[in-house]
Amino acid sequence: YLFGFAFAFGAPSNGFIGRHFFGLKAYPSPDGDYSFFLYQWAFAIAAAGITSGSIAERTQFVAYLIYSSFLTGFVYPVVSHWFWSGDGWASPIRPNNLLFGSGAIDFAGSGVVHMVGGIAGLWGALIEGPRIGRFDRAGRSVALRGHSASLVVLRTFLLWFGWYGFNPGSFLTIMKGYGGGGGHYGQWSAVGRTAVTTTLAGCTAALTTLFSKRLLVGHWNVIDVCNGLLGGFAAITSGCSVVEPWAAIICGFVAAWVLIGFNMLAAKFKYDDPLEAAQLHGGCGAWGLLFTGLFATKAYVNEVYPGLSGRPYGMFMGGGGKLLGAQIIQILVITGWVTATMGPLFCVLKKMNLLRISREDETAGMDLTRHGGFAYVYHDEEDISMRPTFMMTKIEPNNASPSTDGQRSPSNV
């Protein structure tokens, strides 16, 4: 509200950063309304939430407050401006001087949201180190299990549902016809197609993970399937509006193996990310950008990004390598920008002893040591089955008699 939205979409501006709409001054404008602000606010939240997964279970709460303010107020808005604003230097909707004659296509944020959050989380987790007990003395990986697979599955279904706002919702409008004739085909068809490609990519990644992990580790694992599903969603988010449904299946299949491969590398190099956030959002997000450069179709690119004849499209679809080149540039500049901004921030937090909690607090658990009590309070003292009198009632001889006031008599004890 104060400055992040202005840095991202404050037009007119230069190619690097916006410079209008601070505190929503002079907003709404001819180019946007309050609904657009709220929609972009939700995207910013997603980037910060991704990073939190990488540094979970050993990070001071004040560090969350500092990094999330910096990430959503400056780091993320600048990237958003580059690729989503009409003034951004690599935006596909820039009216002139398009990067490689195309601009980078990142329709709903495989790079802008997922890579930004994932790379920020990567540096945070690297700088503060693994959780206690994550690797044994021999350096072997030790699985630290979560306490509720049911909550993980519930979270996954909530995210699945939300992705239909994330991807199809990025059209912003529905009632827009394509071509001069109007008729039955328009933006409503593209919205539906985007929902279909999103679904197919996520489901393919989930199934690929399910059977791949069964072959690799010898058992079925619902947690891995959940993360595989989300990896497919993170990957398809870039090209969901400009690819055919069959291509989304390829996207999801490769995304599952990208996630599995990065998780293997993380264990090998003793990198600890409790939610696999850097591997999932950073790795699969980068694959999604490459996928768009390979499989974006000519017709869909011209529908979603109209007004430029001869716009490059996917290399495997006959569109040459210009779009793929723009996608590679996006991966490189996001990696460099987030590294140059978030890496030093986490280093400063560590130097000031504001990043990681103490070993004693981590061992005891932060719910108790840092947040005033247990997250899950069990009132065992109120459970009648745990009372001594109840237990003795269950084991006393059949001929024992209660006292007249309803309590057990001393002889019974």
Side-chain angles (χ1 to χ4, degrees):
Y1 167 73
L2 292 176
F3 44 83
F5 182 74
F7 290 155
F9 297 100
S13 65
N14 55 57
F16 178 77
I17 193 170
R19 55 188 183 188
H20 297 282
F21 307 147
F22 292 95
L24 294 185
K25 184 179 180 180
Y27 199 79
S29 73
D31 298 323
D33 204 341
Y34 288 122
S35 60
F36 182 72
F37 163 78
L38 194 67
Y39 190 68
Q40 296 300 332
W41 168 82
F43 273 92
I45 289 174
I50 290 166
T51 305
S52 69
S54 297
I55 59 176
E57 299 188 6
R58 75 272 204 201
T59 305
Q60 295 189 47
F61 186 67
V62 67
Y64 286 102
L65 299 177
I66 294 171
Y67 98 75
S68 60
S69 298
F70 184 61
L71 181 65
T72 60
F74 179 66
V75 178
Y76 166 81
V78 170
V79 177
S80 183
H81 181 81
W82 291 350
F83 301 104
W84 284 349
S85 169
D87 296 320
W89 64 270
S91 172
I93 60 173
R94 186 183 176 97
N96 51 51
N97 298 323
L98 284 171
L99 177 66
F100 297 150
S102 167
I105 293 180
D106 189 8
F107 185 71
S110 287
V112 174
V113 178
H114 295 279
M115 275 195 69
V116 168
I119 294 172
L122 171 68
W123 285 109
L126 283 174
I127 289 168
E128 69 174 346
R131 293 165 291 171
I132 296 172
R134 180 64 179 87
F135 301 97
D136 62 19
R137 293 181 181 273
R140 292 170 298 191
S141 176
V142 177
L144 301 179
R145 300 298 182 189
H147 77 285
S148 174
S150 298
L151 287 180
V152 173
V153 173
L154 175 61
R155 175 207 66 155
T156 302
F157 275 100
L158 290 172
L159 286 170
W160 189 339
F161 179 78
W163 234 285
Y164 294 118
F166 205 69
N167 287 5
S170 289
F171 278 98
L172 301 179
T173 60
I174 296 177
M175 298 305 295
K176 175 183 175 182
Y178 289 151
H184 68 282
Y185 187 62
Q187 193 137 290
W188 50 88
S189 298
V191 171
R193 181 182 68 243
T194 300
V196 169
T197 57
T198 300
T199 303
L200 289 174
C203 292
T204 301
L207 289 171
T208 303
T209 306
L210 174 68
F211 291 104
S212 299
K213 294 293 287 188
R214 175 67 174 82
L215 295 174
L216 290 172
V217 301
H219 57 80
W220 312 102
N221 190 319
V222 66
I223 305 299
D224 289 335
V225 173
C226 289
N227 274 357
L229 176 84
L230 300 181
F233 285 154
I236 195 62
T237 295
S238 168
C240 54
S241 64
V242 295
V243 300
E244 294 280 3
W246 62 262
I249 296 175
I250 298 174
C251 178
F253 179 80
V254 176
W257 283 105
V258 168
L259 178 59
I260 292 171
F262 274 117
N263 283 336
M264 290 179 174
L265 286 176
K268 180 178 178 61
F269 290 101
K270 299 180 179 60
Y271 169 76
D272 182 25
D273 186 323
L275 268 64
E276 302 174 5
Q279 302 94 294
L280 193 163
H281 298 277
C284 294
W287 155 242
L289 294 177
L290 296 175
F291 163 78
T292 303
L294 296 172
F295 288 94
T297 65
K298 180 179 181 179
Y300 297 157
V301 168
N302 289 327
E303 287 173 0
V304 178
Y305 301 97
L308 178 66
S309 60
R311 180 186 288 271
Y313 52 99
M315 187 171 72
F316 288 171
M317 309 303 291
K322 289 185 177 181
L323 176 58
L324 179 61
Q327 304 299 98
I328 293 173
I329 292 294
Q330 180 177 0
I331 293 172
L332 294 177
V333 297
I334 288 177
T335 302
W337 171 252
V338 178
T339 298
T341 52
M342 296 302 294
L345 175 65
F346 283 119
C347 286
V348 169
L349 290 175
K350 182 177 181 179
K351 189 72 174 178
M352 297 176 66
N353 294 320
L354 294 176
L355 184 58
R356 184 156 185 163
I357 60 174
S358 67
R359 187 179 186 88
E360 292 75 16
D361 285 355
E362 185 176 346
T363 303
M366 282 189 291
D367 290 337
L368 180 63
T369 61
R370 293 282 177 149
H371 299 291
F374 292 106
Y376 303 92
V377 180
Y378 300 99
H379 299 286
D380 288 342
E381 66 278 6
E382 297 179 4
D383 187 351
I384 189 173
S385 66
M386 298 301 295
R387 294 181 182 178
T389 53
F390 180 85
M391 298 299 292
M392 284 180 274
T393 302
K394 302 297 288 184
I395 63 173
E396 67 184 4
N398 290 333
N399 60 354
S401 58
S403 59
T404 56
D405 61 359
Q407 300 296 320
R408 310 313 302 167
S409 65
S411 61
N412 290 334
V413 176

